[in-house]
Amino acid sequence: MAELIVGVDGSDGARRAVAWAAREAVLHGDTLTLATAIHHTWPVTGSEIDGPVRTRLEQAAAARARALLDDLARELSADLPGVGREVLFGAPAAVLRDRSAGLSGLVVGSRGCGGFAGLLLGSVSQQVVAHATCPVVVVPDAAVHERSDGAAVVVGVDGSEHSRSALARACEEAVRRDVRLDVVIVSPLPPPPPVDEPVPVAATGSEVWTAAPQLAGLELSHELRRAQARETAEWQAEAQRVAHEDLRSLHLEERARVHVVADLH
């Protein structure tokens, strides 16, 4: 049985992450572990606290953390008995990264309350996404847990190996939830229509000069835009081809919709 861990710190965002993770654990048949991190630094210098002071602070913080985890586990016990609890010591992003090995997933909120048991600060969630070795879910404040009509799993792809792995996982989740799969390809923007103005063909420092007649400049401008349009169309076609090929291999072409969006972001 695989293990799913959710980071908590007592904030509303963490509670939303716990609720999401509990539903996922039931859906996947995973065990669920609630984890929080304790990391002590001096508030001004940011340096580590050592010695007897650290020991006493950690003991007090660990007792508060265990009480928090026990309360959350009791709230989940009706639907998900046997929830695990872990108090981790160290920088939150680092201990979560190390703990992520071998997990089915790691769930965090988008931001938390900070403090001694502060686990879900925005910077921490970003670091976990970047460095964890298992799939990571960041549950946003505006997350809607109820399934609506037309629900779908959405995955962004670009034809790379990383995005193909994401597509395979998204297909698995869409089948498990019995919802549509939306495959989104964000394409470079197509070039603007040609403008009947010559373009500079050379530049040195702050001096820009044209070394060709105006007609040559216009032709160059049009040709550059045509070349950019061709490259954009070729990229779109290749990304779509790879997406459809992967969907066919996963036997999910009928369930999926492939969207090409031309945007800077």
Side-chain angles (χ1 to χ4, degrees), residues 2 69 115 204 220 239 244 258:
L69 299 180
T204 56
L220 176 60
H244 284 293
V258 178

Side-chain angles (χ1 to χ4, degrees), residues 12-246:
D12 290 340
R15 289 182 176 274
R16 281 187 285 270
V18 168
W20 193 93
R23 279 186 287 270
E24 287 299 295
V26 171
L27 181 65
H28 287 263
D30 292 342
T31 61
L32 180 65
T33 299
L34 310 177
T36 192
I38 297 173
H39 184 222
H40 291 301
T41 59
W42 290 111
V44 176
T45 64
S47 59
E48 292 279 353
I49 299 175
D50 290 312
V53 172
R54 173 172 177 162
T55 300
R56 290 194 296 272
L57 287 172
E58 284 184 346
Q59 289 173 346
R64 292 195 301 272
R66 282 192 289 269
L68 168 65
L69 299 180
D70 288 344
D71 288 343
L72 289 171
R74 276 193 294 272
E75 293 175 9
L76 299 173
S77 60
D79 298 319
L80 197 64
V83 173
R85 283 146 281 188
E86 288 187 13
V87 178
L88 307 172
F89 292 89
V95 295
L96 282 179
R97 177 199 63 212
D98 295 342
R99 188 63 180 82
S100 67
L103 297 179
S104 66
L106 177 61
V107 183
V108 295
S110 57
R111 61 178 180 269
C113 61
F116 288 142
L119 182 61
L120 304 186
L121 295 172
S123 61
V124 172
S125 63
Q126 293 174 17
Q127 292 178 58
V128 170
V129 166
H131 300 294
T133 56
C134 70
V136 178
V137 173
V138 180
V139 180
D141 292 345
V144 177
H145 296 301
E146 293 75 18
R147 176 171 162 176
S148 60
D149 293 337
V153 171
V154 181
V155 57
V157 303
D158 62 6
S160 67
E161 286 303 313
H162 288 299
S163 77
R164 298 177 87 171
S165 297
L167 177 60
R169 178 61 182 262
C171 289
E172 175 188 328
E173 297 298 335
V175 170
R176 191 182 300 273
R177 290 165 167 76
D178 191 26
V179 298
R180 187 182 74 248
L181 176 66
D182 283 348
V183 181
V184 180
I185 298 168
V186 182
S187 163
L189 284 171
V195 178
D196 287 336
E197 295 178 359
V199 296
V201 295
T204 56
S206 61
E207 180 186 13
V208 178
W209 52 276
T210 301
Q214 178 170 320
L215 181 59
L218 287 173
E219 291 174 350
L220 176 60
S221 175
H222 288 208
E223 181 53 37
L224 288 173
R225 286 178 171 84
R226 285 193 291 269
Q228 184 182 353
R230 286 194 298 271
E231 290 178 1
T232 300
E234 289 170 1
W235 189 94
Q236 290 177 351
E238 177 61 14
Q240 289 184 76
R241 185 193 66 77
V242 170
H244 284 293
E245 182 179 277
D246 288 343

